[in-house]
């Protein structure tokens, strides 16, 4: 990635991060850290492990695309490389476009994953920050089209796993918690919403989502003119991206299943964060309750996706879910405070990692 783009992402993220930090009550934060003790360190380190799950899902998608290189692409690659010196810049560029030179490590992809999530946390609308950064970082290695399709596939898989997590959490609530009419109606609505979204995503996996997404944007005020021009200019690339998206689901169902399973496992394991914090004040904290708190908090927070770092939405979600599970408001506030602080720490780490990016070839 060009240095000017690196600096642009970094400066934007640091400005928003400074705004987030300015909203904290430092006395309250310090009191929370002292109260949590080593459990807060465990919370921060837990996310170093959780990002391995995220990176693993993206890694599987990229490697699956490598294996699924079409015969025509292979023929083009052979023709191109036969006319270029083996180590020339042109040959390297051709290799990147055909997917034959994916010379990056899992550790490098891990760094890009952490930085991408940091930009998503700091950006209103989420995907407007991290995903362009991932595409621009990966493009020198596998080409822009395949980088775009791999990022779109990963984002779809990441969101797809959320809907499964929320749906399964509804089942878990019914199996473990007392019910009333209001909660039953709410769970039915959530389940119906999740099932509809799962159906939509499965349809998108089979047919692709790039072309249909641009067509939807072409009917939205303020962006429709830009979307129409973009579609007219890049129609062929968008169709290629959709073909690559459909290939993962159609030709590589095992990779698709493993990527979704990794993301879903990440959601479940991340409930340990809430358990670690609650153990400070509630030694009898239940892991299943923590899964439910995470599920309903993340659902509520994602409804407010347009707010940077979901300020206020996540805290409100913690309070509502804690109340629904008969956990006191003070405990909910304590959990929300430490989770917010952990998010800010990992956002800062991710933004700093941007400057460690290896210079593009």
């Amino acid at each position: 990635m060009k240095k000017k783009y690196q600096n642009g992402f970094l400066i934007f993220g640091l400005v928003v991060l400074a705004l987030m930090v300015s909203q904290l009550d430092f006395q309250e934060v310090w009191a929370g850290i002292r109260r949590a003790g080593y459990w807060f360190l465990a919370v921060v380190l837990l996310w170093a492990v959780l990002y391995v799950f995220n990176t693993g899902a993206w890694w599987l998608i990229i490697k699956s695309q490598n294996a699924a290189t079409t015969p025509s692409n292979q023929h083009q690659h052979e023709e191109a490389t036969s006319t270029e010196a083996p180590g020339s810049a042109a040959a390297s560029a051709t290799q990147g476009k055909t997917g034959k030179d994916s010379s990056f490590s899992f550790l490098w992809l891990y760094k890009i994953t952490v930085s991408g999530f940091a930009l998503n946390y700091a950006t209103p609308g989420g995907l407007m920050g991290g995903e362009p950064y991932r595409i621009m970082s990966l493009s020198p290695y596998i080409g822009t089209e395949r980088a775009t399709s791999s990022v779109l596939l990963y984002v779809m898989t990441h969101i797809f796993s959320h809907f499964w997590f929320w749906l399964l959490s509804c089942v878990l609530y019914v199996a473990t918690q007392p019910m009333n009419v209001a909660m039953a109606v709410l769970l039915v609505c959530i389940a119906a919403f999740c099932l509809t979204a799962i159906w939509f995503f499965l349809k998108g996996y089979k047919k692709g989502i790039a072309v249909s997404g641009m067509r939807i944007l072409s009917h939205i005020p303020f962006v429709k003119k830009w979307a129409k021009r973009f579609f007219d200019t890049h129609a062929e690339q968008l169709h290629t991206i959709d073909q690559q998206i459909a290939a993962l689901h159609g030709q590589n169902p095992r990779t698709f299943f493993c990527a979704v399973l990794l993301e879903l496992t990440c959601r479940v394991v991340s409930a340990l964060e809430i358990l670690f914090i609650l153990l400070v004040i509630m030694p009898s904290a239940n892991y299943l309750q923590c899964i439910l708190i995470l599920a309903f908090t993340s659902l509520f927070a994602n409804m407010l996706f347009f707010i940077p770092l979901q300020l206020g939405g996540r805290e409100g979600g913690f309070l509502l879910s804690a109340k629904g599970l008969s956990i006191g408001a003070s405990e909910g506030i304590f959990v929300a405070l430490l989770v917010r602080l952990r998010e800010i720490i990992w956002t800062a780490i991710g933004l700093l990692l941007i400057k460690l990016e290896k210079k593009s070839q």
Side-chain angles (χ1 to χ4, degrees):
M1 184 190 298
K2 292 183 179 179
K3 194 169 184 178
K4 65 178 181 179
Y5 296 128
Q6 269 189 6
N7 292 335
F9 281 116
L10 178 64
I11 292 171
F12 172 78
L14 289 177
V15 169
V16 179
L17 180 64
L19 177 62
M20 297 171 185
V21 173
S22 69
Q23 304 301 310
L24 295 175
D25 183 329
F26 292 102
Q27 289 185 341
E28 187 179 2
V29 167
W30 179 240
I33 293 174
R34 291 185 62 185
R35 187 178 183 185
Y38 61 83
W39 282 115
F40 180 68
L41 178 61
V43 165
V44 175
L45 293 177
L46 172 66
W47 277 84
V49 177
L50 294 176
Y51 283 127
V52 173
F53 286 94
N54 299 134
T55 307
W58 192 18
W59 176 270
L60 282 176
I61 290 170
I62 295 170
K63 295 305 176 183
S64 174
Q65 288 181 318
N66 284 349
T69 303
T70 62
S72 60
N73 283 342
Q74 290 177 349
H75 179 66
Q76 293 171 2
H77 168 70
E78 290 170 0
E79 288 183 346
T81 53
S82 65
T83 60
E84 302 290 347
S88 68
S92 298
T94 302
Q95 287 175 338
K97 289 179 182 180
T98 57
K100 293 296 185 180
D101 185 24
S102 302
S103 54
F104 57 87
S105 67
F106 186 89
L107 182 61
W108 177 85
L109 197 67
Y110 178 88
K111 182 182 72 66
I112 298 300
T113 299
V114 174
S115 296
F117 276 115
L119 288 167
N120 281 346
Y121 278 131
T123 308
L127 303 182
M128 292 188 293
E131 282 23 86
Y133 170 78
R134 295 183 194 212
I135 292 170
M136 294 173 70
S137 297
L138 193 57
S139 291
Y141 297 97
I142 62 175
T144 302
E145 287 181 6
R146 288 185 54 235
T148 302
S149 63
S150 74
V151 170
L152 283 176
L153 276 166
Y154 174 70
V155 171
M156 289 173 66
T157 302
H158 183 72
I159 299 174
F160 187 64
S161 69
H162 271 80
F163 288 114
W164 275 108
F165 180 59
W166 295 329
L167 180 63
L168 294 174
S169 295
C170 289
V171 177
L172 178 62
Y173 190 98
V174 172
T176 62
Q177 303 297 319
M179 294 284 293
N180 55 47
V181 175
M183 182 55 69
V185 172
L186 178 61
L187 291 176
V188 168
C189 292
I190 293 174
F193 170 69
C194 291
L195 287 170
T196 302
I198 289 171
W199 171 82
F200 175 81
F201 271 88
L202 286 174
K203 185 176 179 181
Y205 274 116
K206 291 179 180 178
K207 297 184 178 180
I209 200 170
V211 172
S212 58
M214 291 307 300
R215 285 174 176 166
I216 292 173
L217 286 177
S218 67
H219 292 88
I220 296 178
F222 305 110
V223 297
K224 61 182 181 181
K225 291 183 179 180
W226 169 85
K228 288 179 180 178
R229 287 197 304 268
F230 186 90
F231 182 80
D232 292 339
T233 307
H234 301 89
E236 183 178 350
Q237 292 94 326
L238 291 171
H239 282 291
T240 301
I241 289 169
D242 274 347
Q243 290 172 1
Q244 293 170 350
I245 289 174
L248 176 68
H249 183 270
Q251 300 175 13
N252 301 282
R254 180 177 297 181
T255 298
F256 170 76
F257 175 78
C258 289
V260 173
L261 185 61
L262 277 172
E263 284 291 317
L264 183 57
T265 302
C266 183
R267 305 281 81 71
V268 175
V269 175
S270 64
L272 286 174
E273 173 179 50
I274 298 173
L275 178 64
F276 291 164
I277 298 172
L278 283 180
L279 285 174
V280 177
I281 51 180
M282 293 177 57
S284 61
N286 186 304
Y287 182 58
L288 294 180
Q289 280 190 325
C290 293
I291 292 176
L292 293 175
I293 290 174
L294 175 64
F296 294 114
T297 297
S298 62
L299 177 60
F300 185 81
N302 277 280
M303 292 171 63
L304 302 177
F305 66 91
F306 51 86
I307 301 177
L309 233 168
Q310 298 161 335
L311 291 173
R314 191 173 296 277
E315 286 76 5
F318 272 117
L319 289 174
L320 289 174
S321 58
K323 183 178 179 181
L325 294 168
S326 301
I327 296 175
S330 60
E331 285 80 1
I333 293 173
F334 181 66
V335 172
L337 172 66
L338 293 187
V339 169
R340 176 66 62 204
L341 184 58
R342 182 272 302 165
E343 288 178 334
I344 290 176
I345 289 173
W346 272 103
T347 299
I349 292 172
L351 294 176
L352 292 175
L353 286 175
I354 291 176
K355 293 301 293 180
L356 298 179
E357 183 172 341
K358 184 168 65 175
K359 185 178 180 181
S360 299
Q361 299 299 320

